[in-house]
Amino acid sequence: TMSRMTKTDFALLRVMMRSNIQDYLKRIPFLSKVPASRLEMLGEMSQFEIFKAGDEVCVEGSEGDKVYVVIFGNLHVNAMSVPDALTGKTHKLLLAELVIGDHFGELSVLADI
């Protein structure tokens, strides 16, 4: 059975349908000089992934095998649980918030980390 789509799901679907993944790829600084034919080939190998609020996209310390580009919404980058010096309780440390057009993962892919 198919679950009901929310307004956000429909909005994301509209963005994806209008999107050409090469448009997002060429905005990444290290890909800006790549010829259009190569970007097209890279785009054909690419795919859209949908993550819901609270989903983990990747985990600190794990192997990276993808480059991600934020095309809808935002993404929080957290450090692993950090113990509080006073209470000893652990909490996530917000390092950054990525927004539409931001990207990450390229270094681990290029360096094969």
Side-chain angles (χ1 to χ4, degrees):
T1 62
M2 198 166 141
S3 61
R4 290 193 82 164
M5 291 183 70
T6 65
K7 286 183 181 181
T8 302
D9 293 332
F10 277 116
L12 179 56
L13 188 57
R14 281 193 302 272
V15 168
M16 289 170 56
M17 289 171 65
R18 287 193 317 256
S19 298
N20 180 343
I21 201 156
Q22 288 90 345
D23 291 339
Y24 293 100
L25 295 174
K26 67 183 174 189
R27 293 181 198 158
I28 299 174
F30 76 90
L31 294 177
S32 64
K33 303 287 188 211
V34 173
S37 61
R38 294 289 184 174
L39 279 181
E40 186 175 334
M41 187 171 61
L42 185 58
E44 289 172 3
M45 296 185 310
S46 302
Q47 62 186 27
F48 286 102
E49 291 187 45
I50 299 172
F51 297 95
K52 294 186 171 125
D55 284 353
E56 285 187 342
V57 176
C58 58
V59 178
E60 184 179 358
S62 63
E63 261 187 54
D65 62 350
K66 297 178 183 178
V67 176
Y68 294 91
V69 180
V70 180
I71 62 164
F72 187 83
N74 61 0
L75 184 83
H76 289 168
V77 178
N78 297 307
M80 288 183 168
S81 296
V82 178
D84 184 284
L86 299 175
T87 65
K89 293 181 180 179
T90 60
H91 63 280
K92 290 182 180 179
L93 177 64
L94 179 64
L95 300 177
E97 181 174 354
L98 304 180
V99 296
I100 294 170
D102 288 340
H103 62 278
F104 65 98
E106 69 279 2
L107 294 179
S108 61
V109 170
L110 291 173
D112 199 24
I113 297 174

